[in-house]
Amino acid sequence: MFKSIDALSPQDQKVLYDAVPQVVLLVAGADGIIDDSELAASEKVAHVRSFDFHPEWMAFYEKLDQELHERLLAMILELPRDTEPRQAELVSRLSKVNPVLKKIDKRQARHFYEGLLSLAGHVAKASGGFIGWLSIGPKEAKVTDLPMIDPV
């Protein structure tokens, strides 16, 4: 078993690096509208995690933080514009995280998985609600638990 992300192949590392913007776009686009507040929330989370997260993932988030905005915009342009096909494509891509997480230390895999769940929650809360009530809409709620990624 691999001990860290550095031991993964470049293809497997890419799957993990791509998972973060894919989670952002899955949750942000669940209601059909990807808005700036959701993207900004994800960028803030990635930035904070570059210096305040599980030590084995801080370098990952530091690298991701430098390019997340551009990666989000590039993915928005390459993904289908219509909600249903876009969501289906993101679910398909995110399901590729499962075999990669099995290749790294279980503790590190759990931290990454929990980080994705937390990110999904932050994005979902970024644009919804009224004074904190109903801050996660019903369409976002269906994807924030990332059912396509096996719990670790």
Side-chain angles (χ1 to χ4, degrees):
M1 177 174 294
F2 292 115
K3 294 296 181 192
S4 76
I5 186 175
D6 296 328
L8 293 172
S9 71
Q11 296 87 355
D12 285 343
Q13 288 185 31
K14 184 176 183 329
V15 168
L16 297 183
Y17 277 107
D18 286 347
V20 173
Q22 289 166 357
V23 165
V24 172
L25 297 177
L26 178 77
V27 176
D31 60 1
I33 301 166
I34 299 171
D35 71 40
D36 291 339
S37 63
E38 293 164 319
L39 299 182
S42 70
E43 292 172 28
K44 181 178 180 181
V45 169
H47 178 69
V48 169
R49 288 183 181 174
S50 71
F51 59 86
D52 186 21
F53 197 58
H54 299 286
E56 69 269 17
W57 289 104
M58 288 193 303
F60 172 91
Y61 277 101
E62 186 175 349
K63 179 179 176 186
L64 186 70
D65 181 37
Q66 296 170 10
E67 57 190 34
L68 183 58
H69 184 76
E70 291 77 18
R71 292 173 72 108
L72 287 166
L73 295 179
M75 280 188 187
I76 288 170
L77 293 174
E78 78 181 38
L79 288 165
R81 291 181 59 87
D82 292 330
T83 304
E84 286 186 36
R86 180 182 60 242
Q87 296 297 91
E89 177 64 23
L90 288 166
V91 166
S92 173
R93 292 181 186 188
L94 282 166
S95 68
K96 295 176 183 171
V97 168
N98 293 316
V100 177
L101 290 181
K102 290 177 181 169
K103 296 178 182 180
I104 61 176
D105 179 78
K106 188 168 178 96
R107 182 177 57 88
Q108 291 184 11
R110 185 178 63 252
H111 290 163
F112 185 77
Y113 172 71
E114 290 171 352
L116 291 180
L117 290 174
S118 170
L119 174 65
H122 284 288
V123 172
K125 292 175 185 174
S127 72
F130 174 73
I131 313 175
W133 292 93
L134 302 171
S135 62
I136 299 178
K139 292 179 181 177
E140 293 161 328
K142 288 182 180 179
V143 297
T144 54
D145 63 347
L146 306 175
M148 74 294 302
I149 301 175
D150 299 332
V152 180

